[in-house]
Amino acid sequence: MFEPGSSREGAQMAAGADRSPDAADSPLADRLTYLFTTMHPPGAPYTNAHVAEEISGGEEYGGVSVTEQYLSMLRNGKRTNPSPDVLRALAKFFAVPVGYLLGDLSPSQAERVEEEVRFLVAMRDKRVRSIALRSVGLPPEVQDSLTTIISQFRQQMNLPPEPPGANGAAGADGSGGPDGEATNGRR
């Protein structure tokens, strides 16, 4: 699903040291690790403690109570079968379908969810958002010209032609930039 060097592979390698051998077979552990390391406000990724506190303290999550330790066990594959309520709360927190966390989506559906995550991460950066919004309403040939100009700048700066994981959608490295803002107002 991901090419070598993609952000998900980096997230998996970063988490590899504290994962159980069974975690490699756990789509839930993989996907939670990906979301924790990718879907967060500019700066540092969410912590288990922060997510547990947000979910447990928010009525919008259906009154679910979850602990930092339980989230850790889900992320390292020691627990692989959370209740439907916990899955719904986690999916709502990260704004993804529950089926994505369960591994019930087809590979193409899961890739589409991950493309949307990368897009949301890219759109946190105020400058990226400004460039994208300014192109709205321009004729397709002008948008194509802008894409060519951006590609030329990327080449001049020795950057890859497409951001990591772009696959036709806006890609991002997760940094959000100095003027970035969190999606959904979460911090």
Side-chain angles (χ1 to χ4, degrees):
M1 192 179 321
F2 278 85
E3 305 89 40
S6 71
S7 59
R8 182 160 173 204
E9 182 179 272
Q12 289 172 339
M13 289 181 0
D18 63 350
R19 304 238 337 243
S20 71
D22 295 337
D25 298 331
S26 172
L28 177 61
D30 287 345
R31 290 176 177 168
L32 279 175
T33 296
Y34 175 70
L35 292 171
F36 267 83
T37 58
T38 306
M39 279 294 280
H40 57 80
Y46 286 125
T47 63
N48 293 334
H50 175 79
V51 174
E53 183 179 318
E54 287 291 316
I55 289 174
S56 297
E59 287 184 32
E60 68 268 27
Y61 299 106
V64 171
S65 181
V66 65
T67 66
E68 171 184 2
Q69 293 78 13
Y70 187 66
L71 286 178
S72 176
M73 288 187 282
L74 289 174
R75 290 180 65 193
N76 67 28
K78 290 181 181 174
R79 294 283 189 267
T80 58
N81 194 19
S83 74
D85 291 339
V86 168
L87 284 173
R88 278 192 291 277
L90 286 166
K92 183 173 181 93
F93 182 85
F94 288 110
V96 297
V98 175
Y100 174 74
L101 294 177
L102 287 172
D104 286 347
L105 302 181
S106 70
S108 64
Q109 290 171 321
E111 178 59 31
R112 178 70 182 141
V113 169
E114 290 162 351
E115 284 178 11
E116 290 174 9
V117 167
R118 288 188 297 270
F119 176 77
L120 289 172
V121 169
M123 294 310 287
R124 286 185 201 144
D125 187 315
K126 188 176 184 177
R127 290 179 214 97
V128 170
R129 210 171 39 247
S130 175
I131 291 167
L133 291 172
R134 287 175 186 214
S135 72
V136 171
L138 295 174
E141 59 274 7
V142 174
Q143 291 177 351
D144 291 343
S145 294
L146 290 172
T147 300
T148 301
I149 291 167
I150 291 170
S151 294
Q152 290 170 348
F153 276 117
R154 292 186 68 81
Q155 184 178 17
Q156 288 174 0
M157 300 187 80
N158 295 320
L159 294 170
E162 296 290 328
N167 296 339
D173 64 2
S175 66
D179 292 332
E181 296 173 20
T183 58
N184 296 333
R186 291 182 298 224
R187 298 217 174 252

